[in-house]
Amino acid sequence: MFDGAENISTEDEGNRVKTGIPGFDELCGGGLVRDRSYLVSGTSGAGKSIFSTQYIYNGITQYGENGIIVATEERPEQIRENMMRFGWDLQALEEENKLAIIDACSTKIGIPSQEKYVDVRPFDIRSMMDQIISTQEEIDAKRALIDSTTSISFYLNEAARIRIELLKLSTTLEIIGLTSLMTCEIIDENQPSRFGVENFVTDGTFSLYYDMHDNVRSRSIEIYKMRGSDHSKKVHPYEVTKEGFVIHPHEEVYTHF
Ligand SMILES: Nc1ncnc2c1ncn2[C@@H]1O[C@H](COP(=O)(O)OP(=O)(O)OP(=O)(O)O)[C@@H](O)[C@H]1O
Ligand SMILES: [Mg+2]
């Protein structure tokens, strides 16, 4: 029985995909289970994109694992600029063919894209999967980020379709050897996902909270679910610093709702 971060089983720690995000890996037995997909959910501004991009960036720079980012909500240009604030030079990694950012945003909103990788049919999961598969072959990626599933889900509209299409996407990523994060925007912090199905088609859910208490907002993270792994069942505070996410695994938040 888990009773504090220090007692989490780490028996297959060596096989885990380390996020390298300070404080995170020790909350889940040493990192993510290889070739699985995880949901990162949170309200707007909770830190989903920063957390997930840090996973991709660390993968390349600390663990030699190339990465793919599928950008459905922000243009790649904006992502590069935002992440540069943390000193993460994504463009340099792209030039070395270690990172590919697929622009699935521009076409969707009807503007031209100068990007190398463009998803020309961004509302079509099949086309998105084909683009991910060819990009993965090109740069030998081991990690992926889909940021976000919510715009895809809005297009699919109905829970049953969202569930089957996201299951196809997460299964494809797993089969081709990508350990992935998918972000999911929520509006109610009591729910792990927006449409109530995204968390069922992924192997784990990490919930980011950004709550107001006594006029002060505080940030915390919970590993809501993680199939095939022991993990912390507590809610832990984190900060967004100038180096990105820093989670405090030995501290707990008791009253986040
Ligand atoms: N350089 C920085 N230093 C500290 N905090 C920052 C910095 N840049 C962004 N933040 C914080 O992170 C928040 C944005 O994080 P992020 O873009 O990851 O959120 P998100 O959950 O992806 O939001 P959305 O649902 O709108 O995409 C900002 O609102 C701000 O509070
Ligand atoms: Mg975001």
Side-chain angles (χ1 to χ4, degrees):
M1 190 63 189
F2 172 74
D3 183 28
E6 60 281 3
N7 293 334
I8 297 167
S9 165
T10 54
E11 58 194 51
D12 64 340
E13 191 175 1
N15 300 327
R16 294 301 180 100
V17 176
K18 302 208 178 314
T19 66
I21 296 171
F24 184 80
D25 294 327
E26 66 180 277
L27 295 178
C28 55
L32 309 181
V33 180
R34 189 165 290 283
D35 299 343
R36 302 282 184 104
S37 310
Y38 297 90
L39 199 68
V40 179
S41 75
T43 52
S44 177
K48 303 178 293 295
S49 297
I50 299 170
F51 177 90
S52 311
T53 308
Q54 195 167 351
Y55 162 71
I56 298 291
Y57 180 82
N58 288 349
I60 300 167
T61 57
Q62 295 178 28
Y63 306 106
E65 296 195 344
N66 293 349
I68 298 173
I69 297 175
V70 180
T72 73
E73 298 270 302
E74 286 177 279
R75 285 177 290 112
E77 214 175 293
Q78 295 169 309
I79 297 174
R80 291 182 195 107
E81 203 177 299
N82 293 345
M83 298 307 158
M84 201 61 179
R85 296 286 306 275
F86 302 105
W88 306 334
D89 188 348
L90 301 186
Q91 193 167 348
L93 301 179
E94 292 176 86
E95 284 163 8
E96 293 176 56
N97 283 326
K98 292 176 175 172
L99 171 69
I101 305 181
I102 301 176
D103 182 356
C105 176
S106 300
T107 323
K108 190 175 75 177
I109 57 176
I111 57 169
S113 175
Q114 309 303 321
E115 295 294 323
K116 180 175 176 192
Y117 303 98
V118 184
D119 186 357
V120 288
R121 291 161 64 204
F123 291 120
D124 182 335
I125 290 272
R126 182 70 249 172
S127 129
M128 181 182 283
M129 289 192 296
D130 288 345
Q131 174 91 61
I132 295 170
I133 292 167
S134 66
T135 310
Q136 195 258 352
E137 283 169 1
E138 196 177 321
I139 68 162
D140 187 28
K142 299 279 186 271
R143 301 181 180 209
L145 158 63
I146 314 293
D147 192 11
S148 81
T149 61
T150 307
S151 52
I152 303 170
S153 302
F154 267 115
Y155 176 75
L156 297 168
N157 192 29
E158 170 207 332
R161 273 195 75 203
I162 297 168
R163 187 166 178 157
I164 189 75
E165 294 298 321
L166 290 184
L167 180 62
K168 281 187 209 165
L169 181 60
S170 64
T171 308
T172 303
L173 297 175
E174 293 173 10
I175 289 171
I176 65 172
L178 290 167
T179 309
S180 309
L181 298 183
M182 299 180 170
T183 64
C184 175
E185 183 192 296
I186 54 167
I187 40 178
D188 176 356
E189 289 200 333
N190 290 300
Q191 301 295 329
S193 60
R194 178 64 176 258
F195 294 93
V197 295
E198 301 91 321
N199 48 307
F200 290 103
V201 300
T202 42
D203 294 295
T205 303
F206 311 140
S207 299
L208 304 181
Y209 304 115
Y210 190 33
D211 309 310
M212 181 78 95
H213 290 291
D214 301 327
N215 285 331
V216 178
R217 278 205 183 274
S218 63
R219 297 180 184 276
S220 56
I221 184 167
E222 177 183 15
I223 299 181
Y224 182 87
K225 145 178 148 176
M226 194 158 173
R227 289 178 187 150
S229 179
D230 193 8
H231 62 86
S232 168
K233 314 293 188 298
K234 295 174 178 171
V235 180
H236 300 274
Y238 72 85
E239 294 166 75
V240 181
T241 71
K242 60 180 179 11
E243 274 103 34
F245 259 62
V246 176
I247 295 161
H248 301 288
H250 305 292
E251 291 173 33
E252 291 171 47
V253 176
Y254 293 98
T255 55
H256 82 278
F257 292 124

